[in-house]
């Protein structure tokens, strides 16, 4: 197995493109190295992006945030500005694994591993995050929901990698939240995950985005759920509609972590709870 | 020298206080060496090829390509482990479990093994071994395995304990029945009868340290084995037997053990490592991966249990019956029989009957897990007790007190109880402030009892006094929970010297006589007893040396608080001689001073406990959170209360994990789907509150200090304590453990739909 | 057999060099190449925390870090906690509070607890439990471990030590 530490994203892209064998990116390694240990992957080349300058930086500007691809969950959780603007994104990222995992896990890693149950993905989508994709010749920016196309599959072409995740500036009177269901309090893969981002106007929900995780092959944006809560202050009837829309949108599998029935049910339960948290964070009163 | 093991009530100076453990510094600095921490020059890495099928004929194994790979030094199959077991079917089963002999009996069953110069080469070599399997029908569920249509795993199994003897083989290795009185009459006399069925899924001991060993066999038949084990003497005997080595020539050294709980009482990779080493003529190190530990070591039984209780209106239980079906994996076991012995052990029920069915399935060979078989039986019986109490409109704890076993009660499995602590623990629970704490919405409180026999067993101990008066205590029971501290305390107490002057070590197999495993909560009990006797022998020698030094008769010398004292007429002017002073002169008074003891420690005292559990159930997701937990258990005599508390808390936590989330998940293909800590969910730190403990001391009359084993009982009550708490929180009676969120939610739904 | 990579790193304050295959974990490299067997393998997949180390000041599972990633970095293991034979307050506290039984998880817990107290000298019970959720213990039920960390935090705050 060859191990390279390129000095730029472009160089990394070139290495990936050139490789005839199995090539993998290494940032935090919390998925790759597990797969390596279990014999699921046998890389010929591993490209470690962590030595690229600025790849571990979080930059904030009036336009929003640019999060370098190697920023760890722990670093996200320590960034006061990011936590204030996008508490749902940060709490989602911080739910991935233990403090040890948090010392390494990255947003692009969580995204590109493309597990249906990835915690940060629904929250990133709900927040309108984008991925800065670098190839050997050009750069492009694409909405995060366009990256994952199936379990373990991304839309990235050979030789492309994500250099950064961007988040827009948080609008006034907006709030986001991420909740997930796990049997234990920590260390489990989400059985259901839900992210809700919303904006209020005069105390009423003006815009909303509802994204479910772990209940379909990829994270799903549930337009009907968002529609159900726009124009409301989350009264009980609206919450019921929200829950029903979320349950209806589920397309989960039965596996050792949860049954179809259980996931469909709990999706609705968590939707109500997440909506209330996002609403209160946006300044709404229940 | 004959020794009396009767309990003597006395005041202690050291025993009963809290001392830091002697192995503590090595463990907090990383110096302590566990199974995987040894190395030998020229060592090879051993790896095992395992069956991916639950049940399959092994038609052919072609190892030639693996053998030719550069860096591979030996490859073995069952042909390199000839069957030397003779008529000993138990040993033959162990041999076959360590390496398949023509048939793979469970997913993960070892089929071949290699030893190579490094990890990568060994992994490559495994891939080059070609195995031709013919899949056979499999069965993994205990109830399904009992059906006449189930695929039969061994056609030599004809159910024992059934009349007339079956003419066809089956997966039921034995039927056990025990009890007292007349249950039919008892049920006829009952005003209220409760019947319920229960199921518990398979769990694993979950020790954090995987099995590991370093084996080195020499051409002259001598060999060494460094291994993480609960019993290096037993491992020595088993490995010597399986490999045809002489016992005295196989030196087994036990490393520090990173958890066992019964799961390191058997051999799996050790005979394989020895066979690889013998063939390669080099040391072989084998460390199991985590998924191998789950797939291919010794989890506990999954079970299916029916309980029926009958009682009069006043709460007197007139009859109790349990039918317990336990699977032992792919080989016969006695797990259901053990369950029969424990099911009603906490109570005085004149008419009781337990029927046990030991069943085979295509799963790994079951090993003991902390009070083996008792937690599942207690889940069923203690849940049924609460159901009965509800029907009788009695407090659950009062129903238990009304029927509690006492000294003089005839136990369901035969003996009459001596002084026991179950009533004391129930009374202590009733009086405990936990019982009066306010419950919040969605919370419920449950109580449950538990019992474990504890055992004695063969023990050999050496106590040697250095010329500076410091003492080496060599014991043969592996220290799993801090017993070195307790044993040093006992030695210091007996000799009358400071705790700091005694160093307890676990000796290797060439240095002591046979010691049974550290299991059955026997470590402190048995080695403690042997330590007391060894110390008393050493004291006799110390007294003799003092007598010789003073020139007075031995009868005029007594031992008091670490000193030889001249008693009797005319000796008043002789100053006391300390142990140190006597030891300093030992070279001139007769040589090294020591005490030694072999004992088959008998009279282990039974351990009883009662637990209180508060649970909060999220009614929308079925998820349960333990909000408060209390363990009250009779320890007989707590040598070091810190370590006794630790046993209570650790056992309770394993029981809580078993109650809430831990289970083996097998697919329809008979393969284990969750062989890792990600999806085999043991409790994590944030899942639990502090676990309160109360140690009761009802002395065991058969131990000089009154010690009872404490390590196991605390895993017995939690399944029912949690189940009863959930019932009180939600109104649903959970009959299927683990009581995971989906199961609880489904039960809540069913209750909603019904009512 | 492919050639190993030479790695230069700092371990517990000392300059260390080792050679390892590129696909070898840092845990294995520390144990087998550097000889620091205080780093324990419980699962090899980041689920149990027994292999916890500090890498450039961050708490990580060394089993899911490559050995070659250690180049130029700073590593702290349990062997580096005590200084000149004096135990770190956490180590002493674990012994005093009987916060270990078999001890296999103890090195990992010490590293994780130190990481917690380094960033939060006054954690409440819940913060302690969640910070240690990545370290599995099967012997103690965590009770005495949490108490040991609480006691150490209190002592260290009193003495003004960091």
């Amino acid at each position: 197995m060859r191990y390279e530490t390129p000095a730029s994203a472009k160089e990394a892209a070139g290495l990936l493109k050139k490789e005839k064998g199995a090539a993998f990116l290494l940032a935090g390694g919390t998925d790759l190295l597990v797969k390596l240990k279990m014999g699921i992957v046998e890389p010929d080349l591993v490209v470690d992006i962590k030595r690229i300058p600025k790849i571990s930086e979080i930059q904030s500007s009036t336009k929003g945030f640019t999060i370098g691809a190697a920023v760890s969950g722990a670093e996200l959780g320590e960034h006061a500005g990011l936590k204030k603007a996008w508490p749902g994104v940060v709490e989602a990222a911080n739910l991935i694994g233990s403090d040890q995992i948090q010392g390494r896990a990255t947003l692009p890693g969580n995204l590109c591993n493309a597990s249906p149950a990835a915690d940060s993905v629904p929250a990133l989508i709900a927040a309108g995050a984008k991925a800065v994709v670098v190839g050997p010749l050009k750069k492009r920016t694409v909405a995060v929901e366009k990256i994952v196309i199936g379990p373990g599959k991304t839309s990235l072409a050979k030789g492309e990698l994500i250099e950064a995740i961007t988040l827009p500036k948080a609008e006034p009177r907006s709030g986001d939240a991420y909740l997930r269901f796990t049997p234990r309090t920590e260390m489990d893969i989400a059985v259901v995950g839900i992210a809700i981002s919303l904006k209020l106007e005069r105390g009423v929900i003006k815009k909303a985005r509802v994204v479910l995780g772990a209940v379909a092959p990829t994270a799903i944006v549930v337009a009907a759920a968002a529609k159900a809560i726009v124009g409301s202050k989350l009264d009980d009837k609206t919450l019921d509609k929200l829950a029903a829309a979320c349950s209806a949108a589920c397309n989960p599998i039965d596996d050792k972590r949860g049954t179809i029935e259980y996931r469909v049910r709990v999706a609705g339960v968590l939707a109500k709870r997440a909506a209330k948290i996002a609403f209160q964070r946006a300044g709404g009163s229940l | 020298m004959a020794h009396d093991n009767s309990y003597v009530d006395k005041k202690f100076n050291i025993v009963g206080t809290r001392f830091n453990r002697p192995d503590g510094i090595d463990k907090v600095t990383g110096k302590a060496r566990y199974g995987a921490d040894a190395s030998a020059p020229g060592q090879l890495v051993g790896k095992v090829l395992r069956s991916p099928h639950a049940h399959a004929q092994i038609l052919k194994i072609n190892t030639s390509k693996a053998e030719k790979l550069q860096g591979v030094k030996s490859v073995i199959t069952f042909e390199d482990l000839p069957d030397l077991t003779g008529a000993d079917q138990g040993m033959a089963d162990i041999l076959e479990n360590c390496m398949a002999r023509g048939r793979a009996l469970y997913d993960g069953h070892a089929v071949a093994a290699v030893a190579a110069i490094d990890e990568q080469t060994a992994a490559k070599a495994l891939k080059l071994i070609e195995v031709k399997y013919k899949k056979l029908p499999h069965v993994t569920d205990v109830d399904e395995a009992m059906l006449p249509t189930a695929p039969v795993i061994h056609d030599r199994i004809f159910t024992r304990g059934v009349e007339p003897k079956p003419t066809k083989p089956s997966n039921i290795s034995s039927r056990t029945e025990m009890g007292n009185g007349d249950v039919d009459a008892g049920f006829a006399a009952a005003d209220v009868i409760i019947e319920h069925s229960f199921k518990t899924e398979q769990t694993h001991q979950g020790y954090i340290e995987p099995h590991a060993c370093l084996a080195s066999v020499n051409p002259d038949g001598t060999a060494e084995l460094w291994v993480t084990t609960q019993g290096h003497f037993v491992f020595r005997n088993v490995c010597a037997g399986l490999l045809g080595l002489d016992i005295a020539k196989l030196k087994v050294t036990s490393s520090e053990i990173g958890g066992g709980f019964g799961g390191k009482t058997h051999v799996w990779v050790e005979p394989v490592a020895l066979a690889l080493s013998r063939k390669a003529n080099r040391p072989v190190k084998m460390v199991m991966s985590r998924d191998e530990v789950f797939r291919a070591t010794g989890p506990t039984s999954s079970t299916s249990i029916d309980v029926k209780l009958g009682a009069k209106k006043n709460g007197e239980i007139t009859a109790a019956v349990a039918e317990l079906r336990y699977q032992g994996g792919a080989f016969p076991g006695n797990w259901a029989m053990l369950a029969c012995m424990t099911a009603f052990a906490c109570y005085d029920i004149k008419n009781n009957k337990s029927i046990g069915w030991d069943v085979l399935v295509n799963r790994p060979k079951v090993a003991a897990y902390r009070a083996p078989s008792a937690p599942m039986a207690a889940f069923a019986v203690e849940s049924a007790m609460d159901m009965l109490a509800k029907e009788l409109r009695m407090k659950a704890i009062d129903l238990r007190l009304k029927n509690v076993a006492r000294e003089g009660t005839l136990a369901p499995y035969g003996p009459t109880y001596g002084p026991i602590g179950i009533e004391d623990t129930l009374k202590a629970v009733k009086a405990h402030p936990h019982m009066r704490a306010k419950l919040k919405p969605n919370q419920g409180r449950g109580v449950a009892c538990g019992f474990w026999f504890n055992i004695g067993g063969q023990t050999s101990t050496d106590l040697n006094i250095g010329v500076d008066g410091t003492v080496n205590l060599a014991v043969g029971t592996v220290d799993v929970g801090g017993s070195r501290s307790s044993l040093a305390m006992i030695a210091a107490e007996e000799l009358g010297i400071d705790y700091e002057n005694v160093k307890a070590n676990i000796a290797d197999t060439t240095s002591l006589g046979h010691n049974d495993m550290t299991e059955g909560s026997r470590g402190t009990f048995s080695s403690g007893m042997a330590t007391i006797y060894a110390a008393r022998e050493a004291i006799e020698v110390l007294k003799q040396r003092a007598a010789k030094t003073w020139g007075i008769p031995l009868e005029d010398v007594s031992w008091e608080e670490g000193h030889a004292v001249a008693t009797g007429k005319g000796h008043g002017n002789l100053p006391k001689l300390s142990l140190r002073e006597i030891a300093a002169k030992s070279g001139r008074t007769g040589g090294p001073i020591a005490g030694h003891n072999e004992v088959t420690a008998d009279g282990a005292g039974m351990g009883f406990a009662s637990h209180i559990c508060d649970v909060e159930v999220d009614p929308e997701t079925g998820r349960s959170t333990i909000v408060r937990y209390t363990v009250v258990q009779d320890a007989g005599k707590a040598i070091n209360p810190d370590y006794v508390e630790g046993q209570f808390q650790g056992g309770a936590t394993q029981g809580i994990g078993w109650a809430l989330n831990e289970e083996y998940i097998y697919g329809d293909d008979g393969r284990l789907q969750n062989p890792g800590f990600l999806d085999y969910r043991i409790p994590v730190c944030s899942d639990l509150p502090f676990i309160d403990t109360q140690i009761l001391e009802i002395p065991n009359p058969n131990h000089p200090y009154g010690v009872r084993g404490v390590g196991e009982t605390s895993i017995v009550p939690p399944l029912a304590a949690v189940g009863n708490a959930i019932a009180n929180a939600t109104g649903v009676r959970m009959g299927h453990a683990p009581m995971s969120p989906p199961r609880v939610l489904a039960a809540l739904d069913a209750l909603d739909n019904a009512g | 057999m492919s050639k190993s990579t030479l790695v230069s790193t700092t371990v517990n304050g000392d300059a260390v060099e080792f050679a390892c295959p590129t696909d070898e974990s840092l845990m294995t490299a520390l144990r087998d190449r550097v000889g620091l067997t205080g780093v324990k393998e419980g699962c090899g997949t980041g689920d149990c925390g027994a292999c916890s180390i500090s890498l450039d000041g961050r708490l990580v599972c060394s089993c899911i870090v490559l050995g070659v990633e250690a180049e130029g970095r700073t590593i702290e293991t349990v062997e580096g906690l005590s200084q000149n034979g004096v135990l770190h307050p956490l180590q002493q506290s674990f012994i005093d509070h009987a916060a270990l039984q078999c001890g296999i998880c103890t090195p990992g817990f010490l590293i994780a607890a130190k990481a917690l107290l380094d960033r939060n000298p006054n954690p409440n019970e819940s913060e302690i439990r969640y910070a240690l959720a990545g370290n599995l213990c099967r012997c103690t039920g965590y009770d005495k471990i949490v108490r040991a960390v609480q006691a150490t935090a209190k002592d260290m705050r009193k003495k003004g030590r960091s």
Side-chain angles (χ1 to χ4, degrees):
Chain A
M1 188 181 100
R2 282 162 16 252
Y3 171 79
E4 300 282 354
T5 52
S8 71
K10 199 145 170 233
E11 189 188 334
L15 286 166
L16 292 172
K17 183 93 202 266
K18 253 187 14 214
E19 178 60 33
K20 290 195 172 52
F24 293 85
L25 275 168
L26 172 64
T30 55
D31 288 314
L32 178 65
L33 294 181
V34 173
K35 289 178 180 168
L36 184 65
K37 163 82 179 182
M38 288 169 52
I40 297 173
V41 299
E42 286 179 35
D44 294 299
L45 169 67
V46 164
V47 178
D48 186 343
I49 61 167
K50 295 194 290 295
R51 310 275 179 178
I52 296 172
K54 300 213 178 139
I55 201 81
S56 298
E57 282 181 18
I58 303 174
Q59 286 159 13
S60 67
S61 72
T62 50
K63 296 220 196 85
F65 299 88
T66 301
I67 303 166
V71 170
S72 69
E75 288 164 326
L76 290 171
E78 287 160 6
H79 195 279
L82 194 56
K83 277 204 292 194
K84 187 156 185 262
W86 295 106
V89 171
V90 176
E91 72 194 346
N94 286 164
L95 277 171
I96 304 170
S98 57
D99 275 19
Q100 285 88 340
I101 299 297
Q102 288 290 302
R104 297 264 292 174
T106 66
L107 292 173
N110 196 227
L111 181 63
C112 296
N113 185 50
S115 158
D119 284 312
S120 71
V121 178
L124 286 171
I125 296 175
K130 292 189 165 65
V132 177
V133 177
V134 171
L137 295 175
K138 54 187 187 130
K139 225 184 215 194
R140 60 193 179 97
T141 300
V142 59
V144 146
E145 57 264 39
K146 296 228 164 59
I147 297 288
V148 180
I149 55 175
K153 289 196 172 68
T154 70
S155 61
L156 297 178
K158 186 168 158 70
E160 285 191 314
L161 65 141
I162 295 178
E163 179 186 59
I165 298 284
T166 65
L167 282 166
K169 182 173 155 63
E171 295 180 70
R173 277 170 290 288
S174 69
D176 69 338
Y178 175 78
L179 282 182
R180 68 177 190 175
F181 181 84
T182 53
R184 295 180 293 183
T185 51
E186 280 284 325
M187 301 303 282
D188 287 334
I189 301 292
V191 176
V192 176
I194 180 158
I196 298 187
S197 156
L198 44 82
K199 178 181 158 68
L200 305 185
E201 194 174 78
R202 280 186 289 273
V204 171
I205 297 174
K206 179 98 162 97
K207 278 197 291 190
R209 215 162 189 222
V210 177
V211 186
L212 283 170
V215 293
T218 68
I220 44 177
V221 179
V222 189
K227 193 157 171 229
I229 61 175
V230 163
S232 83
K233 284 185 181 177
L234 292 185
D235 56 282
D236 283 349
K237 245 178 108 186
T238 303
L239 286 169
D240 285 344
K241 279 201 211 141
L242 167 68
C246 283
S247 290
C250 290
N251 180 23
I253 55 168
D254 274 334
D255 73 0
K256 62 190 174 225
R257 295 177 189 143
T259 59
I260 293 170
E261 197 177 60
Y262 189 73
R263 289 176 151 127
V264 166
R265 174 72 165 277
V266 174
V269 171
L270 290 188
K272 293 188 192 182
R273 297 178 184 182
K276 287 185 192 171
I277 298 170
F279 189 70
Q280 285 176 313
R281 283 179 178 163
S285 26
L286 285 165
Chain B
M1 181 175 146
H3 290 284
D4 182 357
N5 67 338
S6 307
Y7 168 66
V8 174
D9 186 10
K10 59 190 213 168
K11 196 168 167 303
F12 292 103
N13 295 317
I14 294 176
V15 160
T17 61
R18 295 167 192 261
F19 272 101
N20 287 343
R21 55 194 294 159
D23 52 317
I25 292 191
D26 281 354
K27 289 185 174 172
V28 300
T29 55
K31 277 214 201 92
R33 289 166 69 225
Y34 295 81
D37 297 335
S39 291
Q43 80 184 14
L44 304 170
V45 172
K47 267 185 156 7
V48 177
L49 183 66
R50 299 186 179 279
S51 164
H53 304 299
H55 195 192
Q57 204 73 40
I58 300 171
L59 299 171
K60 193 169 151 82
I61 307 179
N62 182 357
T63 59
S64 56
K65 291 193 186 127
E67 288 170 45
K68 289 200 194 86
L69 182 65
Q70 175 87 283
V72 171
K73 301 302 178 185
S74 62
V75 181
I76 65 162
T77 65
F78 72 96
E79 290 174 8
D80 299 280
L81 283 160
D83 188 346
L84 308 168
T85 61
D88 190 339
Q89 186 62 53
M91 280 288 267
D93 288 350
I94 292 173
L95 181 65
E96 187 173 8
N97 192 42
C98 290
M99 183 70 67
R101 304 182 87 78
R103 211 163 33 110
L105 299 172
Y106 52 91
D107 168 35
H109 196 177
V111 164
V114 306
I117 53 172
D118 59 32
E119 174 92 22
Q120 285 83 352
T121 309
K124 258 205 205 129
L126 284 189
K127 291 208 179 101
L128 293 173
I129 299 178
E130 292 165 344
V131 185
K132 197 143 179 247
Y133 293 101
K134 175 165 168 245
K135 285 213 287 212
L136 298 169
H138 64 270
V139 60
T140 54
D141 176 77
V142 63
D143 289 321
E144 282 174 29
M146 293 177 75
L147 298 173
T149 48
V152 172
I153 296 174
H154 293 290
D155 54 21
R156 60 181 161 83
I157 303 287
F158 292 83
T159 312
R160 287 188 340 261
V162 176
E163 288 304 324
K165 185 172 180 270
T167 50
K168 283 184 11 188
S170 71
N171 294 319
I172 305 169
S173 60
S174 63
R175 179 188 186 278
T176 307
E177 185 173 322
M178 62 181 76
N180 305 310
D182 178 347
V183 293
D184 290 330
F187 283 122
D191 298 317
V192 168
I193 293 182
I194 290 288
E195 261 188 284
H196 206 79
S197 291
F198 300 86
K199 228 173 144 75
T200 70
E201 296 298 336
Q202 186 160 45
T203 58
H204 190 275
Q205 301 82 352
Y207 32 84
I208 306 301
E209 179 206 26
H211 300 253
C213 69
L214 176 60
S216 187
V217 180
N218 302 312
D220 65 356
T222 58
E224 286 182 38
L225 182 68
W226 163 274
V227 61
T228 175
T229 172
Q230 289 177 239
H232 43 315
F233 291 84
V234 172
F235 271 37
R236 175 191 64 173
N237 295 2
V238 172
C239 287
L242 293 180
L243 269 87
L245 301 169
D246 289 335
I247 281 178
K249 293 184 185 163
L250 172 57
K251 173 177 169 182
V252 183
T253 305
S254 98
S255 69
E256 292 293 346
I257 180 174
F261 317 110
K264 289 186 178 149
T265 55
H266 295 270
V267 297
W268 282 280
V269 289
E270 296 77 11
V272 175
L274 285 162
L276 283 167
S277 173
R278 177 165 62 184
K279 200 167 181 185
N281 279 303
R282 280 168 71 163
V284 173
K285 182 166 173 177
M286 290 189 79
V287 180
M288 272 193 168
S289 66
R290 179 50 55 184
D291 73 275
E292 286 181 294
V293 173
F294 278 116
R295 283 169 80 207
T297 57
T300 192
S301 309
S302 46
T303 74
S304 170
I305 302 172
D306 310 315
V307 174
K308 185 174 174 184
L309 300 175
K312 288 205 162 67
K313 271 196 285 259
N314 67 356
E316 179 199 330
I317 298 176
T318 56
V321 171
E323 191 154 352
L324 310 117
R325 296 169 288 277
Y326 280 53
Q327 57 92 352
F331 297 91
N334 286 330
W335 311 106
M337 185 200 78
L338 270 178
C340 287
M341 295 169 78
T342 68
F344 298 116
C346 292
Y347 303 107
D348 182 359
I349 301 172
K350 303 271 179 312
N351 306 305
N352 66 77
K353 181 157 79 167
S354 296
I355 300 166
W357 299 93
D358 274 294
V359 179
L360 279 79
V361 294
N362 291 109
R363 292 192 187 209
K365 183 175 193 281
V366 162
Y369 176 15
R370 206 165 195 163
S373 300
M376 310 77 135
F379 175 56
V381 171
E382 290 294 302
S383 296
M385 287 292 281
D386 260 38
M387 293 171 76
L388 182 61
K390 191 171 171 196
E391 271 301 301
L392 293 168
R393 295 189 211 287
M394 265 181 94
K395 279 214 188 106
I397 195 154
D398 290 336
L399 176 63
R400 289 172 169 86
L401 278 164
K402 182 138 181 91
N403 293 280
V404 74
R406 299 188 172 93
E407 181 168 4
T409 298
L410 182 63
Y413 61 96
T416 301
Y417 287 133
I420 54 173
I422 179 66
E423 185 169 16
D424 303 77
T425 63
L426 282 168
K427 286 188 173 149
V429 156
K430 201 167 177 183
H432 200 284
H434 183 167
M435 293 299 277
R436 292 185 290 287
K438 257 189 134 79
L439 288 166
K440 298 197 187 124
N442 294 319
Q443 291 187 352
R445 178 166 298 145
V447 168
C449 301
F451 155 85
W452 189 248
F453 321 82
N454 305 322
I455 63 176
Q458 301 180 71
T459 322
S460 171
T461 298
D462 252 353
L463 187 150
N464 287 286
I465 302 179
V467 292
D468 65 352
T470 56
V471 175
N472 277 120
L473 180 66
V475 300
T477 41
V478 175
D479 181 353
V480 300
S483 52
R484 263 167 298 192
S485 160
S486 307
L487 297 171
M489 288 166 73
I490 290 171
E493 182 79 50
E494 284 291 315
L495 293 171
I497 61 177
D498 287 342
Y499 169 75
E500 282 75 30
N501 291 341
V502 181
K503 176 97 172 70
N505 289 336
I506 316 299
D508 67 53
T509 58
T510 61
S511 310
L512 285 174
H514 180 83
N515 279 268
D516 283 332
M517 298 273 189
T518 298
E519 60 176 4
S521 307
R522 66 175 292 271
T524 302
F525 173 79
S526 304
S527 277
M529 193 183 292
T531 298
I532 291 168
Y533 301 154
R536 290 179 183 176
E537 298 221 348
I539 287 170
E540 283 309 302
V541 178
L542 288 160
K543 281 161 55 180
Q544 280 162 21
R545 303 299 176 90
K548 186 169 178 176
T549 302
W550 287 324
I552 66 176
L554 180 58
E555 315 72 271
D556 290 353
V557 181
S558 76
W559 189 264
E560 291 162 31
E561 292 180 358
H563 291 75
V565 175
T567 59
K569 281 175 86 150
H571 304 317
N573 58 323
L574 290 168
K576 298 191 291 195
L577 280 174
S578 72
L579 182 145
R580 180 178 303 191
E581 287 168 317
I582 300 171
K585 291 205 192 85
S586 56
R588 300 195 302 276
T589 60
I593 300 176
H596 180 81
N597 184 256
E598 274 92 30
V599 66
T600 298
D602 210 358
M606 294 138 193
F608 287 88
S610 298
H611 291 194
I612 314 168
C613 173
D614 287 356
V615 84
E616 182 172 315
V617 182
D618 182 337
E620 290 182 310
T621 64
R623 196 219 225 176
S624 303
T625 304
I626 308 292
V627 294
R628 188 165 173 176
Y629 204 92
T630 301
V631 174
V632 181
Q633 185 174 331
D634 171 21
K637 175 70 195 168
I639 303 294
N640 185 328
D642 276 346
Y643 297 110
V644 172
E645 287 167 1
Q647 293 301 309
F648 290 3
Q649 292 163 335
T653 299
Q654 286 178 313
I656 288 169
W658 198 334
L660 289 181
N661 279 312
E662 292 180 40
E663 60 179 307
Y664 268 35
I665 301 172
Y666 276 87
D668 292 336
D669 59 359
R671 301 203 70 189
L672 181 61
Q673 295 185 342
N674 59 336
F677 279 130
L678 179 60
D679 292 306
Y680 181 85
R681 304 186 190 105
I682 76 171
V684 299
C685 193
S686 43
D687 288 339
L688 297 165
F690 287 120
I691 297 174
D692 291 326
T693 59
Q694 188 178 346
I695 303 173
L696 301 185
E697 291 181 322
I698 290 94
N700 170 12
N702 297 317
H703 185 282
Y705 295 178
V707 168
R708 297 177 191 267
V710 296
E712 290 172 283
T713 305
S714 56
I715 199 177
V716 181
L719 279 75
V722 172
N724 290 338
I726 290 176
N728 291 326
T730 62
V732 295
R733 169 55 55 186
M734 298 303 297
H736 191 170
M739 295 165 274
S740 55
R743 291 200 179 110
V744 173
L745 190 61
L748 287 170
D749 283 349
L751 189 68
D752 276 344
N753 293 337
Chain C
M1 194 181 92
S2 54
K3 266 184 131 89
S4 288
T5 303
L6 190 63
V7 177
S8 300
T9 182
T10 306
V11 182
N12 298 326
D14 293 330
V16 165
E17 268 191 351
F18 61 84
C20 72
T22 46
D23 60 354
E24 182 164 287
S25 72
L26 180 55
M27 171 191 74
T28 303
L30 287 170
R31 285 179 53 82
D32 294 353
R33 317 283 171 189
V34 186
L36 293 171
T37 56
V39 177
K40 303 296 180 195
E41 176 170 4
C43 71
T45 51
D47 298 315
C48 77
C51 66
S52 298
I53 60 166
S54 174
L55 180 64
D56 280 355
R58 280 285 172 205
L59 176 68
V60 299
C61 281
S62 59
C63 69
I64 47 176
V65 177
L66 289 174
V68 292
E69 290 185 68
E71 175 66 36
R73 298 205 190 280
T74 309
I75 293 167
E76 278 166 35
T77 71
V78 71
E79 286 93 342
L81 278 183
S82 58
Q83 300 285 331
N84 296 321
V86 177
L87 295 178
H88 186 279
L90 275 168
Q91 289 172 306
Q92 188 61 54
S93 186
F94 267 54
I95 296 176
D96 293 341
H97 287 83
L100 59 141
Q101 289 179 31
C102 81
I104 192 84
C105 70
T106 303
F109 265 99
L110 288 168
I111 295 290
K114 179 169 185 290
L116 167 65
L117 295 183
D118 282 350
R119 65 174 164 80
N120 179 358
N122 191 8
N124 62 32
E125 182 194 340
S126 178
E127 286 168 327
I128 294 174
R129 288 187 179 278
Y130 276 89
L132 299 179
N135 292 77
L136 300 183
C137 174
R138 198 55 162 164
C139 292
T140 66
Y142 307 104
D143 185 292
K144 293 182 191 291
I145 292 175
V146 175
R147 291 186 197 277
V149 175
Q150 284 178 321
T152 313
K154 194 165 167 202
D155 278 345
M156 285 172 71
R157 285 196 310 272
K158 259 200 226 148
K159 293 186 183 138
R161 169 162 168 183
S162 59

